[in-house]
Short mmCIF file of all heavy atoms in Angstrom, two decimals:
data_model
loop_
_atom_site.label_atom_id
_atom_site.label_comp_id
_atom_site.label_asym_id
_atom_site.label_seq_id
_atom_site.Cartn_x
_atom_site.Cartn_y
_atom_site.Cartn_z
N PHE A 1 0.84 -1.20 0.00
CA PHE A 1 0.00 0.00 0.00
C PHE A 1 0.88 1.25 0.00
O PHE A 1 2.07 1.20 0.34
CB PHE A 1 -0.95 0.02 1.20
CG PHE A 1 -0.29 0.30 2.52
CD1 PHE A 1 -0.15 1.60 2.99
CD2 PHE A 1 0.19 -0.75 3.31
CE1 PHE A 1 0.46 1.86 4.22
CE2 PHE A 1 0.81 -0.50 4.52
CZ PHE A 1 0.95 0.81 4.98
N CYS A 2 0.29 2.36 -0.37
CA CYS A 2 0.98 3.65 -0.30
C CYS A 2 0.04 4.71 0.25
O CYS A 2 -1.20 4.58 0.16
CB CYS A 2 1.52 4.07 -1.68
SG CYS A 2 0.25 4.56 -2.85
N LEU A 3 0.62 5.74 0.85
CA LEU A 3 -0.13 6.90 1.34
C LEU A 3 0.07 8.05 0.36
O LEU A 3 1.20 8.51 0.16
CB LEU A 3 0.35 7.33 2.73
CG LEU A 3 0.27 6.30 3.86
CD1 LEU A 3 0.79 6.91 5.16
CD2 LEU A 3 -1.17 5.83 4.06
N MET A 4 -1.00 8.52 -0.24
CA MET A 4 -0.95 9.65 -1.15
C MET A 4 -1.40 10.91 -0.41
O MET A 4 -2.50 10.94 0.16
CB MET A 4 -1.86 9.41 -2.35
CG MET A 4 -1.94 10.56 -3.33
SD MET A 4 -0.47 10.73 -4.34
CE MET A 4 -0.75 9.39 -5.52
N ASP A 5 -0.54 11.94 -0.37
CA ASP A 5 -0.87 13.19 0.29
C ASP A 5 -1.77 14.00 -0.63
O ASP A 5 -1.33 14.57 -1.63
CB ASP A 5 0.41 13.97 0.60
CG ASP A 5 0.15 15.23 1.42
OD1 ASP A 5 -1.03 15.57 1.63
OD2 ASP A 5 1.12 15.88 1.85
N MET A 6 -3.06 14.07 -0.32
CA MET A 6 -4.02 14.75 -1.18
C MET A 6 -3.94 16.27 -1.02
O MET A 6 -4.41 17.00 -1.89
CB MET A 6 -5.45 14.27 -0.86
CG MET A 6 -5.61 12.76 -0.93
SD MET A 6 -5.13 12.06 -2.53
CE MET A 6 -6.45 12.70 -3.56
N SER A 7 -3.38 16.75 0.09
CA SER A 7 -3.29 18.19 0.32
C SER A 7 -2.13 18.81 -0.44
O SER A 7 -2.23 19.92 -0.97
CB SER A 7 -3.13 18.48 1.82
OG SER A 7 -4.21 17.96 2.55
N ARG A 8 -0.99 18.11 -0.49
CA ARG A 8 0.22 18.67 -1.09
C ARG A 8 0.61 17.97 -2.38
O ARG A 8 1.41 18.47 -3.15
CB ARG A 8 1.38 18.60 -0.09
CG ARG A 8 1.09 19.36 1.20
CD ARG A 8 2.09 19.00 2.28
NE ARG A 8 1.76 19.61 3.54
CZ ARG A 8 0.85 19.14 4.38
NH1 ARG A 8 0.20 18.03 4.08
NH2 ARG A 8 0.60 19.76 5.51
N GLY A 9 0.08 16.77 -2.58
CA GLY A 9 0.43 15.98 -3.76
C GLY A 9 1.64 15.10 -3.50
O GLY A 9 2.51 15.42 -2.69
N GLY A 10 1.69 13.97 -4.16
CA GLY A 10 2.84 13.08 -4.05
C GLY A 10 2.60 11.92 -3.11
O GLY A 10 1.73 11.95 -2.24
N ILE A 11 3.40 10.85 -3.31
CA ILE A 11 3.32 9.67 -2.45
C ILE A 11 4.21 9.88 -1.24
O ILE A 11 5.42 10.09 -1.37
CB ILE A 11 3.75 8.41 -3.23
CG1 ILE A 11 2.74 8.14 -4.35
CG2 ILE A 11 3.86 7.20 -2.31
CD1 ILE A 11 3.11 6.98 -5.25
N THR A 12 3.62 9.84 -0.07
CA THR A 12 4.34 10.08 1.18
C THR A 12 5.04 8.82 1.67
O THR A 12 6.16 8.88 2.19
CB THR A 12 3.36 10.56 2.26
OG1 THR A 12 2.74 11.75 1.81
CG2 THR A 12 4.08 10.81 3.57
N TYR A 13 4.38 7.69 1.51
CA TYR A 13 4.94 6.43 2.03
C TYR A 13 4.55 5.31 1.09
O TYR A 13 3.40 5.22 0.64
CB TYR A 13 4.41 6.15 3.43
CG TYR A 13 4.83 4.80 3.98
CD1 TYR A 13 6.11 4.60 4.49
CD2 TYR A 13 3.95 3.72 3.98
CE1 TYR A 13 6.50 3.35 4.96
CE2 TYR A 13 4.32 2.48 4.47
CZ TYR A 13 5.61 2.30 4.95
OH TYR A 13 6.00 1.08 5.43
N ASP A 14 5.52 4.44 0.80
CA ASP A 14 5.28 3.26 -0.03
C ASP A 14 5.76 2.05 0.75
O ASP A 14 6.94 1.93 1.07
CB ASP A 14 6.03 3.40 -1.36
CG ASP A 14 5.65 2.31 -2.35
OD1 ASP A 14 4.71 1.56 -2.06
OD2 ASP A 14 6.30 2.22 -3.40
N SER A 15 4.83 1.18 1.11
CA SER A 15 5.18 0.05 1.97
C SER A 15 5.97 -1.01 1.21
O SER A 15 5.97 -1.06 -0.03
CB SER A 15 3.91 -0.60 2.53
OG SER A 15 3.27 -1.38 1.53
N ASN A 16 6.63 -1.89 1.94
CA ASN A 16 7.22 -3.07 1.35
C ASN A 16 6.11 -4.06 1.02
O ASN A 16 5.01 -3.99 1.58
CB ASN A 16 8.22 -3.72 2.32
CG ASN A 16 9.44 -2.85 2.54
OD1 ASN A 16 9.94 -2.23 1.61
ND2 ASN A 16 9.91 -2.79 3.79
N ILE A 17 6.41 -5.01 0.13
CA ILE A 17 5.41 -6.02 -0.19
C ILE A 17 5.27 -6.98 0.99
O ILE A 17 6.22 -7.24 1.73
CB ILE A 17 5.77 -6.80 -1.47
CG1 ILE A 17 7.14 -7.48 -1.33
CG2 ILE A 17 5.75 -5.88 -2.68
CD1 ILE A 17 7.45 -8.43 -2.48
N VAL A 18 4.05 -7.45 1.18
CA VAL A 18 3.75 -8.39 2.26
C VAL A 18 3.16 -9.65 1.63
O VAL A 18 2.14 -9.57 0.92
CB VAL A 18 2.75 -7.78 3.27
CG1 VAL A 18 2.40 -8.80 4.35
CG2 VAL A 18 3.29 -6.50 3.86
N LYS A 19 3.80 -10.79 1.89
CA LYS A 19 3.27 -12.04 1.36
C LYS A 19 2.02 -12.44 2.12
O LYS A 19 1.97 -12.39 3.35
CB LYS A 19 4.32 -13.15 1.48
CG LYS A 19 3.92 -14.45 0.78
CD LYS A 19 5.04 -15.48 0.82
CE LYS A 19 4.64 -16.76 0.10
NZ LYS A 19 5.71 -17.77 0.09
N VAL A 20 0.97 -12.82 1.40
CA VAL A 20 -0.30 -13.15 2.03
C VAL A 20 -0.80 -14.50 1.50
O VAL A 20 -0.37 -14.96 0.45
CB VAL A 20 -1.36 -12.05 1.77
CG1 VAL A 20 -0.98 -10.76 2.46
CG2 VAL A 20 -1.56 -11.82 0.27
N SER A 21 -1.73 -15.05 2.24
CA SER A 21 -2.31 -16.34 1.85
C SER A 21 -3.50 -16.12 0.92
O SER A 21 -4.38 -15.30 1.21
CB SER A 21 -2.79 -17.09 3.11
OG SER A 21 -3.60 -18.19 2.75
N PRO A 22 -3.56 -16.84 -0.18
CA PRO A 22 -4.72 -16.71 -1.08
C PRO A 22 -6.02 -17.11 -0.41
O PRO A 22 -7.09 -16.70 -0.84
CB PRO A 22 -4.38 -17.67 -2.23
CG PRO A 22 -2.89 -17.82 -2.19
CD PRO A 22 -2.53 -17.74 -0.72
N LYS A 23 -5.94 -17.90 0.66
CA LYS A 23 -7.15 -18.40 1.31
C LYS A 23 -7.68 -17.47 2.39
O LYS A 23 -8.88 -17.42 2.64
CB LYS A 23 -6.86 -19.78 1.94
CG LYS A 23 -6.52 -20.86 0.90
CD LYS A 23 -6.25 -22.18 1.58
CE LYS A 23 -5.92 -23.26 0.55
NZ LYS A 23 -5.66 -24.58 1.20
N LYS A 24 -6.78 -16.71 3.04
CA LYS A 24 -7.21 -15.88 4.17
C LYS A 24 -8.05 -14.69 3.72
O LYS A 24 -9.00 -14.29 4.39
CB LYS A 24 -5.99 -15.40 4.96
CG LYS A 24 -6.35 -14.76 6.28
CD LYS A 24 -5.11 -14.43 7.09
CE LYS A 24 -5.52 -13.81 8.42
NZ LYS A 24 -4.34 -13.44 9.23
N GLU A 25 -7.67 -14.05 2.65
CA GLU A 25 -8.42 -13.00 1.98
C GLU A 25 -8.49 -11.67 2.72
O GLU A 25 -9.29 -10.80 2.36
CB GLU A 25 -9.84 -13.48 1.62
CG GLU A 25 -9.83 -14.65 0.65
CD GLU A 25 -11.19 -15.01 0.13
OE1 GLU A 25 -12.19 -14.50 0.69
OE2 GLU A 25 -11.28 -15.80 -0.82
N GLU A 26 -7.67 -11.46 3.73
CA GLU A 26 -7.54 -10.13 4.33
C GLU A 26 -6.26 -10.06 5.17
O GLU A 26 -5.78 -11.06 5.69
CB GLU A 26 -8.75 -9.74 5.18
CG GLU A 26 -8.90 -10.46 6.48
CD GLU A 26 -10.05 -9.89 7.32
OE1 GLU A 26 -11.12 -9.58 6.75
OE2 GLU A 26 -9.88 -9.75 8.54
N VAL A 27 -5.70 -8.84 5.27
CA VAL A 27 -4.51 -8.60 6.08
C VAL A 27 -4.66 -7.23 6.72
O VAL A 27 -5.14 -6.28 6.09
CB VAL A 27 -3.22 -8.70 5.23
CG1 VAL A 27 -3.24 -7.72 4.07
CG2 VAL A 27 -1.99 -8.48 6.09
N LYS A 28 -4.27 -7.12 8.00
CA LYS A 28 -4.47 -5.88 8.75
C LYS A 28 -3.15 -5.12 8.90
O LYS A 28 -2.08 -5.70 9.01
CB LYS A 28 -5.05 -6.20 10.14
CG LYS A 28 -6.42 -6.84 10.10
CD LYS A 28 -6.93 -7.16 11.50
CE LYS A 28 -8.31 -7.81 11.44
NZ LYS A 28 -8.81 -8.16 12.80
N PHE A 29 -3.28 -3.77 8.95
CA PHE A 29 -2.13 -2.89 9.10
C PHE A 29 -2.41 -1.85 10.19
O PHE A 29 -3.55 -1.44 10.38
CB PHE A 29 -1.81 -2.16 7.79
CG PHE A 29 -1.36 -3.06 6.68
CD1 PHE A 29 -2.30 -3.62 5.81
CD2 PHE A 29 -0.02 -3.36 6.50
CE1 PHE A 29 -1.90 -4.45 4.78
CE2 PHE A 29 0.39 -4.19 5.47
CZ PHE A 29 -0.55 -4.74 4.61
#
C-alpha cells in the first residue's frame, strides 16, 4: 500500500510487499 498526500500531492509512504495467503483474503495494518 501507499499513502498519497491529497493536500500537497505526491506519495508520502510506499510500503514493502507483504506475502499473504490466497485463502485468508484479508490482512491488517
Side-chain angles (χ1 to χ4, degrees):
F1 73 90
C2 71
L3 301 180
M4 177 74 77
D5 186 353
M6 306 304 291
S7 301
R8 300 167 186 81
I11 294 176
T12 301
Y13 175 78
D14 189 7
S15 75
N16 292 321
I17 59 171
V18 177
K19 187 175 181 179
V20 293
S21 167
K23 296 180 179 180
K24 191 174 181 182
E25 297 188 348
E26 72 173 41
V27 58
K28 297 179 181 179
F29 295 90

